[in-house]
């Protein structure tokens, strides 16, 4: 019996199949117990099958999460692409939008920032939307302060000034708590605002709160998190989610969405 069951178990382990889908009706209780023991012994001797099964399970879970994120993005398309309070760079009426949720103190946001800047320059027909999402503000005060300042600069001076502030702040290379209020004020002044006039305001606070709500509803858990989608009437098929530092994936997603709606 053991010789028969081992091949069955090996096939199960390699394929990653659901054991519940296997037909074990021909096995009596004693044989089923034997199968369990053989399986246990085999996994002890070959732990690589457990790793493979774990990897496949994680992939399936991630695929399910990504699917939910895409579905949520479709429902919340207007908030993602058409919110007039959200800073953006590029044509207001662009057919394709790239939405980034980010934190100025996030190291991977810092790493992808120059890549995004280059993509902005290379895709003048795309609208890049920047959702200030200071997820580290409870740990580092500068995270929240920088987000509020960026939001205020956009309200006061528009996209051009915001782009200067945004790019220059990331270009300092200061993340994970190293950014200071002085650094932020210096870059704000370079963007053309009078820092002495800066005050926390209800509009900026409400916008950032709304960003956090979107972030949560999309199922995102870390920054950077990016969405590439048509600015109007997106479908499940032409919404792309990019999580973490993946500049090549982001570039490919922009091209793919452009091609799908052209």
């Amino acid at each position: 019996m053991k010789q028969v069951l081992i091949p069955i178990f090996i096939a199960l382990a390699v394929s990653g199949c659901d054991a519940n889908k296997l037909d074990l009706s021909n096995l009596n209780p004693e044989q089923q117990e034997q199968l369990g023991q053989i399986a246990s012994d085999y996994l002890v001797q070959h732990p690589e099958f457990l790793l493979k099964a774990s990897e496949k399970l994680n992939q399936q879970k991630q695929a399910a999460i990504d699917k939910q994120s895409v579905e949520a993005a479709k429902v919340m398309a207007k908030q993602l692409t058409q919110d007039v309070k959200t800073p953006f760079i590029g044509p207001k009426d662009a057919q394709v939008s790239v939405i980034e949720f980010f934190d100025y103190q996030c190291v991977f946001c810092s790493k992808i920032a120059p890549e995004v800047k280059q993509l902005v320059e290379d895709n003048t027909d795309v609208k890049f939307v920047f959702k200030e999402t200071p997820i580290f503000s409870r740990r580092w005060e500068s995270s929240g302060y920088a987000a509020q300042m960026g939001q205020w600069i956009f309200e006061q001076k528009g996209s051009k000034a915001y782009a200067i502030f945004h790019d220059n702040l990331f270009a300092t290379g200061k993340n994970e708590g190293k950014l200071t209020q002085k650094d932020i004020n210096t870059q704000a002044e370079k963007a053309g605002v009078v820092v002495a006039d800066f005050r926390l305001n209800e509009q900026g606070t409400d916008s950032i709160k709304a960003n956090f709500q979107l972030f949560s509803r999309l199922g995102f858990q870390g920054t950077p998190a990016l969405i590439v989608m048509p600015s109007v009437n997106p479908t499940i098929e032409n919404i792309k989610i990019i999580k973490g530092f993946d500049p090549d994936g982001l570039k490919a997603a922009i091209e793919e969405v452009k091609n799908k709606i052209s």
Side-chain angles (χ1 to χ4, degrees), residues 1 4-5 8 12 17-28 31-32 35:
M1 183 64 189
V4 174
L5 293 177
I8 294 175
L12 171 62
C17 295
D18 184 346
N20 293 323
K21 295 179 181 178
L22 290 181
D23 183 8
L24 302 179
S25 59
N26 293 328
L27 301 180
N28 60 41
Q31 291 170 332
Q32 291 180 17
L35 176 59

Side-chain angles (χ1 to χ4, degrees), residues 30 75 84 106 115 125-126 131 196 240:
E30 181 180 355
V75 172
V84 296
C106 163
E115 306 283 353
D125 56 341
V126 173
K131 295 286 188 181
K240 304 299 174 184

Side-chain angles (χ1 to χ4, degrees), residues 22 38 50 123 193 244:
L22 290 181
I38 293 169
L50 280 176
N123 295 273
V193 297

Side-chain angles (χ1 to χ4, degrees), residues 76-97:
M76 298 181 290
K78 188 173 182 179
Q79 296 99 304
L80 290 168
T81 66
Q82 306 299 322
D83 185 356
V84 296
K85 298 177 183 177
T86 301
F88 71 91
I89 301 171
K92 186 176 181 180
D93 58 351
Q95 289 187 305
V96 175
S97 292

Side-chain angles (χ1 to χ4, degrees), residues 21-239:
K21 295 179 181 178
L22 290 181
D23 183 8
L24 302 179
S25 59
N26 293 328
L27 301 180
N28 60 41
E30 181 180 355
Q31 291 170 332
Q32 291 180 17
E33 185 177 350
Q34 281 185 319
L35 176 59
Q37 185 59 51
I38 293 169
S40 178
D41 293 343
Y42 192 86
L43 288 174
V44 169
Q45 297 173 28
H46 301 275
E48 66 272 15
F49 286 121
L50 280 176
L51 292 174
K52 183 179 291 187
S54 177
E55 289 173 1
K56 182 162 186 177
L57 180 60
N58 288 336
Q59 290 172 358
Q60 291 172 340
K61 286 182 177 180
Q62 189 58 56
I65 291 172
D66 289 347
K67 181 181 178 183
Q68 292 175 355
S69 296
V70 167
E71 291 172 346
K74 181 178 182 296
V75 172
M76 298 181 290
K78 188 173 182 179
Q79 296 99 304
L80 290 168
T81 66
Q82 306 299 322
D83 185 356
V84 296
K85 298 177 183 177
T86 301
F88 71 91
I89 301 171
K92 186 176 181 180
D93 58 351
Q95 289 187 305
V96 175
S97 292
V98 176
I99 304 96
E100 180 182 6
F101 291 83
F102 71 97
D103 185 319
Y104 286 111
Q105 285 298 269
C106 163
V107 63
F108 290 105
C109 296
S110 182
K111 286 181 66 176
I112 205 170
E115 306 283 353
V116 172
K117 181 181 179 182
Q118 187 61 53
L119 287 171
V120 170
E121 295 174 1
D122 294 341
N123 295 273
T124 56
D125 56 341
V126 173
K127 180 181 181 182
F128 286 79
V129 179
F130 297 94
K131 295 286 188 181
E132 303 273 359
T133 318
I135 62 174
F136 293 115
S137 57
R138 291 185 179 181
R139 185 183 306 178
W140 299 307
E141 185 178 349
S142 57
S143 166
Y145 182 73
Q148 289 278 0
M149 181 64 76
Q151 190 71 42
W152 181 72
I153 288 173
F154 176 73
E155 293 167 9
Q156 298 298 311
K157 295 287 187 176
S159 295
K160 185 175 180 179
Y162 178 82
I164 294 171
F165 172 78
H166 179 88
D167 293 338
N168 286 350
L169 200 57
F170 272 126
T172 65
K174 295 183 178 181
N175 49 67
E176 295 193 320
K178 298 181 180 67
L179 194 66
T180 67
Q181 183 170 321
K182 182 179 179 181
D183 295 325
I184 297 164
N185 290 344
T186 296
Q187 301 309 324
E189 294 281 359
K190 289 181 179 180
V193 297
V194 179
V195 171
D197 294 339
F198 172 65
R199 297 289 185 277
L200 293 179
N201 62 75
E202 185 175 342
Q203 180 174 318
T205 300
D206 287 347
S207 293
I208 292 173
K209 285 182 179 178
N211 293 345
F212 272 112
Q213 291 172 353
L214 281 172
F215 186 81
S216 177
R217 290 179 63 186
L218 287 160
F220 295 153
Q221 296 182 334
T223 54
L226 299 104
I227 304 171
V228 183
M229 62 193 295
S231 300
V232 180
N233 298 324
T235 66
I236 297 298
E237 291 72 25
N238 57 24
I239 297 175

